[in-house]
């Protein structure tokens, strides 16, 4: 059975059409039920499709030669939502021409366009950007928010926890994902008033939510595999994400330098190569590509701008899985289970 087709912003990302279309083709080879709406310059897309007959027969092209620049302000991009490849890909979700959209373009513009076109779900004040991070455990970690909302109140954090748990149940298979709030300590007295209020609400609602909530976690535990969902505001989350990515690059560069420093080191590299290749695979962001805007009336996935075709294929696979597992409906059901009255009782900061 084929899934609703996925709209791909073929012009987004550092390399644009070539990588985005090749990534879609790779995803199609892995899963022949995928179908696509490729949005971008028709001539350039057709040129790449010549090398991918498997994708050509499963795709339709929506011509558009206008693209959102990487450094463009979201307010400027919004004014061109009806003429850019990013805006048209999102609009295809709104009109039902596609079930979801994927873009490697400007994150701020993608969020602004998606929020304006699709609106937030009932019971959600703000959408959140969520991604999967590698851990030492069996499953990846769901973390949100990663930059969509720099300033969050307690109610936002509770909503993020509900959305993150729904996402985690899809990717981990756990019926009750382990959820924690990111904080500067694990004691109940640590952190801001909003963090403490959110923790109190999540503890009180534990019986009504399909999650295992047990307070706070510190940033040095992100990769241990002891937690399935980590919830934070977009400011702290983005800093934590960049620190994790920077540390991964540091470790990879340090190993590369160490293994090329002498003849003995090079011999050591040959002996340990299977382990270093496994480490390289685990730390490669392409293998964990595909950040999701949770809380919208539709599925929108952000691919790394620098992602390879493999990375784009993984982002497409994430998108398809969320469609297949009905993520939006799951979040709505969890919100209904908690109840609107319960959410209203959580303190909300003034806009």
């Amino acid at each position: 059975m084929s899934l609703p087709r996925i709209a791909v912003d073929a012009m987004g990302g550092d390399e644009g059409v070539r990588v985005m279309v090749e990534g879609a083709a790779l995803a199609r080879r892995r899963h022949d039920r995928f179908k696509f709406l490729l949005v971008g310059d028709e001539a350039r897309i057709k040129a790449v499709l010549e090398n991918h007959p498997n994708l050509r027969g499963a795709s339709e092209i929506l011509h558009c030669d206008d693209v959102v620049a990487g450094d463009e302000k979201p307010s400027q991009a919004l004014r061109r939502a009806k003429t850019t490849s990013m805006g048209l890909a999102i609009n295809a979700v709104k009109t039902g021409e596609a079930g979801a959209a994927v873009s490697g373009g400007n994150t701020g513009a993608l969020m602004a366009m998606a929020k304006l076109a699709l609106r937030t779900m009932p019971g959600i004040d703000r959408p959140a950007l969520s991604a999967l991070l590698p851990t030492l455990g069996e499953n990846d970690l769901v973390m949100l928010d990663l930059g969509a909302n720099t300033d969050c109140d307690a109610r936002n954090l509770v909503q993020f926890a509900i959305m993150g748990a729904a996402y985690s149940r899809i990717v981990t298979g756990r019926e009750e994902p382990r959820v924690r709030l990111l904080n500067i300590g694990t004691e109940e007295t640590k952190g801001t008033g909003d963090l403490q209020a959110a923790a109190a609400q999540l503890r009180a609602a534990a019986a009504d939510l399909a999650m295992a909530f047990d307070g706070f976690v510190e940033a040095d535990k992100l990769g241990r595999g002891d937690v399935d969902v980590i919830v934070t505001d977009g400011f702290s989350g983005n800093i934590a994400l960049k620190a994790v990515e920077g540390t991964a690059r540091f470790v990879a560069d340090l190993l590369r330098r160490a293994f090329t420093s002498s003849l003995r080191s090079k011999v050591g590299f040959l002996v340990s190569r299977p382990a270093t290749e496994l480490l390289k695979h685990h730390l490669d962001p392409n293998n964990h590509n595909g950040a999701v805007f949770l809380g919208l009336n539709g599925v929108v996935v952000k691919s790394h701008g620098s992602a390879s075709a493999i990375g784009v294929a993984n982002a497409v696979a994430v998108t398809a899985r969320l469609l297949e597992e009905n993520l939006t409906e799951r979040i709505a059901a969890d919100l209904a289970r908690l109840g609107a009255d319960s959410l209203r009782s959580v303190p909300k900061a003034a806009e």
Side-chain angles (χ1 to χ4, degrees), residues 14-324:
D14 295 352
E15 293 193 50
V17 173
R18 183 188 67 80
V19 167
M20 296 303 294
V21 174
E22 288 184 357
L26 178 56
R28 171 71 181 175
R29 285 199 295 272
R30 292 174 179 172
H31 306 283
D32 60 8
R33 68 187 186 281
F34 293 174
K35 296 185 182 298
F36 299 92
L37 175 66
L38 304 175
V39 187
D41 187 280
E42 185 172 12
R44 294 170 61 188
I45 292 173
K46 283 185 174 179
V48 180
L49 283 177
E50 287 298 318
N51 298 318
H52 302 287
N54 70 310
L55 178 63
R56 190 167 61 242
S59 301
E60 181 182 338
I61 299 173
L62 176 59
H63 175 70
C64 172
D65 56 11
D66 193 8
V67 61
V68 175
D71 59 353
E72 192 168 341
K73 292 182 179 180
S75 58
Q76 295 175 328
L78 274 176
R79 290 194 285 269
R80 298 190 298 115
K82 295 181 179 180
T83 64
T84 57
S85 58
M86 179 186 290
L88 291 175
I90 294 171
N91 189 64
V93 180
K94 179 181 178 180
T95 61
E97 296 177 80
V102 179
S103 176
N106 183 314
T107 304
L110 186 65
M111 168 56 91
M113 288 185 183
K115 186 175 180 180
L116 181 65
L118 303 177
R119 305 295 182 180
T120 54
M121 298 173 57
I124 297 296
D125 296 324
R126 300 177 183 178
L129 182 62
S130 175
L132 300 175
L133 304 183
T135 73
L136 293 173
E138 296 180 356
N139 299 305
D140 287 342
L141 164 74
V142 173
M143 188 168 177
L144 71 166
D145 179 29
L146 296 177
N149 308 280
T150 56
D151 184 23
C152 297
D153 57 35
R155 192 158 83 180
N156 296 144
L157 296 174
V158 170
Q159 293 169 359
F160 293 172
I162 293 170
M163 296 191 295
Y167 184 19
S168 180
R169 284 194 293 277
I170 291 174
V171 297
T172 68
R174 285 182 178 271
E175 292 184 4
E176 294 188 352
R178 299 162 294 178
V179 179
R180 303 289 184 274
L181 294 168
L182 186 65
N183 203 346
I184 58 173
T186 57
E187 299 88 347
E188 291 187 15
T189 57
K190 288 291 182 70
T192 64
D194 282 320
L195 276 169
Q196 293 180 25
Q201 174 66 16
L202 288 169
R203 287 192 187 95
D208 299 317
L209 294 173
M211 69 172 73
F213 178 77
D214 190 25
F216 305 125
V217 66
E218 294 179 274
D220 62 339
K221 302 297 192 299
L222 292 183
R224 299 303 303 175
D226 303 324
V227 182
D228 301 306
V229 181
I230 291 184
V231 178
T232 184
D233 61 85
F235 184 84
S236 302
N238 192 268
I239 290 175
L241 176 65
K242 296 297 172 57
V244 168
E245 292 176 341
T247 301
R249 286 193 295 269
F250 170 75
V251 171
D253 291 344
L254 193 64
L255 286 173
R256 188 180 301 109
R257 184 181 300 176
F259 281 129
T260 57
S261 60
S262 67
L263 179 59
R264 179 178 293 181
S265 297
K266 292 177 181 178
V267 173
F269 169 72
L270 293 176
V271 174
S272 61
R273 188 167 186 174
T276 56
E277 286 298 316
L278 179 62
L279 176 65
K280 179 181 177 182
H281 175 82
H282 202 57
L283 295 179
D284 187 349
N286 283 298
N287 296 321
H288 305 275
N289 190 34
V292 186
F293 289 120
L294 297 175
L296 296 171
N297 290 303
V299 176
V300 177
V301 172
K302 172 68 173 69
S303 171
H304 279 297
S306 59
S308 65
I310 292 174
V312 173
N314 285 330
V316 169
V318 167
T319 307
R321 189 170 183 183
L322 297 182
L323 283 174
E324 192 173 40

